[in-house]
Amino acid sequence: MNDIDTETLGWELIGWDSDEQAAHVTGLTRVEILSIRDLFPGRDDDLLEAAVYEVPPALYSAMRSAIPYLEFREGLDYQIGGFRLSV
């Protein structure tokens, strides 16, 4: 794992519309990221914190199984990734 302080990280699942606007954003916790990270075998990091990862429709069901409240809206392209929180 990278030497990153996970206490200063946040994660978001973002649905982008055809105008490249963030039309649907869901914040995720570290625990939730741990429950879905293995769905992204091509990742370069343990906590999806170093890049933005495409979420194809084929993963929606598995992600909802791990995090039941997740919602995926038709017509949006989803990505997931981490970011540094303001401290």
Side-chain angles (χ1 to χ4, degrees):
M1 182 179 346
N2 298 334
D3 292 330
I4 294 178
D5 177 8
T6 60
E7 297 299 317
T8 62
L9 290 178
W11 294 267
E12 290 179 332
L13 173 67
I14 303 174
W16 299 93
D17 66 18
S18 60
D19 294 326
E20 297 182 11
Q21 298 293 314
H24 182 220
V25 179
T26 304
L28 300 169
T29 67
R30 181 180 185 280
V31 171
E32 291 167 337
I33 289 297
L34 290 172
S35 72
I36 62 170
R37 68 179 177 183
D38 291 339
L39 297 174
F40 300 88
R43 71 186 187 279
D44 294 328
D45 50 11
D46 284 337
L47 295 172
L48 307 176
E49 82 274 1
V52 174
Y53 297 91
E54 297 291 326
V55 180
L59 289 182
Y60 293 0
S61 179
M63 289 182 68
R64 278 193 297 262
S65 290
I67 308 169
Y69 72 86
L70 286 184
E71 177 184 341
F72 295 93
R73 297 181 183 167
E74 189 172 330
L76 299 181
D77 295 319
Y78 282 89
Q79 295 178 327
I80 194 168
F83 59 92
R84 188 159 307 278
L85 298 169
S86 298
V87 287

